[in-house]
Amino acid sequence: MELCSTSLTGEQIKNRIYNGRMHLLRKCNSRIRSNQQLLIECRRYPFINQVLELSKLAVPLTDEEKTDAIDAILASGVYERVKEEEQPQATSFSYIDQLVIELLKWFKEEFFVWVNKLGCSHCGNEDQNQIRHMAGCRPYKEEHYRGKASVIERYQCLKCQKIYEFPRYNDIRTLLLTRKGRCGEWNNCFIAILRSLDIDVRYIWNAEDHVWCEYYSEKQKRWIHLDACENAYDQPLLYNTGWGKKMSYVFAVKESYIVDVTDRYLDPKKPEAKLPKNKAPEQYLQAMLTLSNSIKLTSASREIALTDTSRLIGDFRNTAGGYKEMATDSTTKSMKPRQSGGATWTKQRGEAGKK
């Protein structure tokens, strides 16, 4: 039976959806830009600019970074483990889901190393009580700039009295070689590992000084929480329930948008763990995010714009409960206090859980 002349092809349907969404985004853009008073008021709040600057965290991999990341994966034996691993949940988990789980475990247990105070490079002293933290400094060596170091931490070994440094690198190729750091380095490197496999990932930033990520599961049709520092998969309530961490703002960051995902990381049963959002009026913050997102999405390729807007729509539908439903009473009870970092440091940050 022939299709009637009014039938649309898949490509035409895509074009209509794309054009409709771009029209709405441009309309939002125009409406916000025309409100000069709003734009003036927004400049009074540094936090808004801080949030918009988060877009710098989502940078596409270079070809060299992608190659180095893939080489690390191939050397890990992860693919073989996915094949050998028995997967009773295979009906709900795709091959990519299983691969991500294995990558998370490998990254935590074999690949990357957490640094509290860096051990002495002169005498090999690793005793944290015999290492003194000194005032840091700005990058000053060629290797610091090449590795995109944000700051240079300095330590003194109390055994040999030598002073040595720990550059906090951000360059992906450097991190794939040094393989050590704290949550920032862990997250940057793990995101690069996933992106090298063309897995859709977004950077998650928390105003209370922690970062993690999410990947989009095609099988489960949702964004899934990942924390490489903790080997945590799909445990969005880990921070509230396990760590006892109080939080205010949580943002998901991609090249084409920044979106507030705070609600999915707050345990509705623990209202005391929700800090007030008082760093900027919410209507101003959301207006500037809408403006920024509309500019980026309308500038993106059609394929990226369609994918990202579709998944953003899913975000808005699921924010009120999609992730929370995954965390049952039994899973939240098994969530542990923070595993990465020293006990004193973790306790000072309010992440050691509750007795």
Side-chain angles (χ1 to χ4, degrees):
M1 181 177 178
E2 292 185 359
L3 293 173
C4 65
S5 58
T6 57
S7 296
L8 297 175
T9 65
E11 191 64 22
Q12 288 172 325
I13 292 172
K14 266 190 175 182
N15 280 332
R16 286 198 174 188
I17 293 173
Y18 172 75
N19 291 333
R21 290 178 183 176
M22 294 306 103
H23 173 73
L24 287 174
L25 287 169
R26 292 189 184 100
K27 193 172 181 180
C28 288
N29 186 317
S30 177
R31 183 175 297 175
I32 295 170
R33 283 181 180 275
S34 66
N35 190 338
Q36 290 299 314
Q37 186 60 37
L38 172 67
L39 297 177
I40 292 170
E41 286 294 318
C42 287
R43 293 177 191 148
R44 295 173 50 201
Y45 300 94
F47 181 70
I48 293 178
N49 189 59
Q50 181 186 358
V51 172
L52 295 177
E53 288 288 307
L54 294 177
S55 59
K56 294 179 180 178
L57 298 172
V59 180
L61 293 182
T62 65
D63 290 341
E64 293 81 5
E65 289 169 343
K66 188 170 185 177
T67 298
D68 287 356
I70 290 174
D71 286 344
I73 296 168
L74 291 175
S76 70
V78 166
Y79 286 113
E80 289 73 17
R81 295 177 204 175
V82 174
K83 292 178 183 178
E84 295 171 0
E85 190 78 19
E86 292 185 7
Q87 296 293 341
Q89 72 274 43
T91 54
S92 58
F93 281 61
S94 69
Y95 175 81
I96 294 298
D97 294 330
Q98 296 170 44
L99 178 60
V100 169
I101 291 170
E102 288 298 326
L103 284 169
L104 194 64
K105 182 179 179 182
W106 158 74
F107 195 87
K108 167 71 173 178
E109 297 180 358
E110 301 174 38
F111 189 70
F112 228 72
V113 176
W114 182 271
V115 173
N116 293 314
K117 296 177 185 175
L118 187 67
C120 180
S121 56
H122 300 280
C123 71
N125 172 32
E126 296 283 348
D127 185 347
Q128 299 289 288
N129 295 320
Q130 293 295 311
I131 299 172
R132 177 187 296 148
H133 194 287
M134 303 180 69
C137 64
R138 294 181 178 181
Y140 64 94
K141 294 180 181 178
E142 174 60 31
E143 64 193 66
H144 297 162
Y145 298 119
R146 189 168 56 248
K148 300 178 183 177
S150 54
V151 68
I152 311 301
E153 294 183 1
R154 299 173 71 243
Y155 298 93
Q156 182 179 29
C157 175
L158 300 183
K159 286 189 175 180
C160 70
Q161 304 304 313
K162 297 286 187 180
I163 294 175
Y164 56 98
E165 299 176 340
F166 175 38
R168 300 296 303 277
Y169 290 124
N170 290 287
D171 176 68
I172 298 303
R173 299 187 77 189
T174 303
L175 291 176
L176 286 166
L177 291 173
T178 59
R179 294 161 47 174
K180 61 176 176 282
R182 300 194 193 101
C183 59
E185 291 95 334
W186 279 67
N187 200 42
N188 287 339
C189 195
F190 187 64
I191 286 175
I193 291 287
L194 297 182
R195 281 183 173 163
S196 72
L197 301 176
D198 296 325
I199 294 172
D200 196 1
V201 190
R202 57 189 191 182
Y203 193 107
I204 307 297
W205 178 88
N206 167 232
E208 285 67 49
D209 194 30
H210 189 49
V211 292
W212 59 92
C213 66
E214 294 175 343
Y215 84 101
Y216 190 81
S217 169
E218 296 281 358
K219 176 77 172 181
Q220 301 179 57
K221 301 298 180 188
R222 64 188 179 93
W223 291 99
I224 294 180
H225 157 260
L226 301 171
D227 193 324
C229 302
E230 305 293 293
N231 187 19
Y233 180 92
D234 199 15
Q235 291 185 309
L237 302 185
L238 171 67
Y239 311 108
N240 266 185
T241 305
W243 293 15
K245 184 180 180 70
K246 296 181 179 182
M247 299 192 294
S248 56
Y249 298 90
V250 182
F251 292 98
V253 184
K254 284 199 70 180
E255 291 92 334
S256 60
Y257 66 79
I258 301 170
V259 63
D260 189 333
V261 293
T262 307
D263 285 349
R264 73 179 52 167
Y265 288 98
L266 294 176
D267 189 340
K269 298 177 183 178
K270 296 181 180 292
E272 71 279 4
K274 182 177 181 178
L275 295 176
K277 289 185 170 183
N278 56 10
K279 296 187 178 182
E282 194 66 12
Q283 67 270 29
Y284 293 168
L285 175 59
Q286 293 305 322
M288 294 311 293
L289 283 177
T290 300
L291 178 60
S292 174
N293 292 345
S294 66
I295 293 170
K296 291 176 184 175
L297 285 165
T298 52
S299 302
S301 69
R302 191 190 75 157
E303 200 61 38
I304 290 175
L306 279 172
T307 299
D308 283 352
T309 51
S310 293
R311 291 175 181 176
L312 272 173
I313 291 169
D315 254 333
F316 296 136
R317 287 174 178 167
N318 293 331
T319 293
Y323 273 40
K324 294 169 189 171
E325 290 170 4
M326 298 301 296
T328 62
D329 287 340
S330 60
T331 58
T332 54
K333 286 177 182 176
S334 66
M335 291 182 188
K336 299 177 181 179
R338 183 164 188 162
Q339 304 299 295
S340 53
T344 302
W345 179 78
T346 301
K347 187 175 181 180
Q348 288 172 345
R349 291 167 57 91
E351 298 169 350
K354 294 185 178 180
K355 302 292 184 182

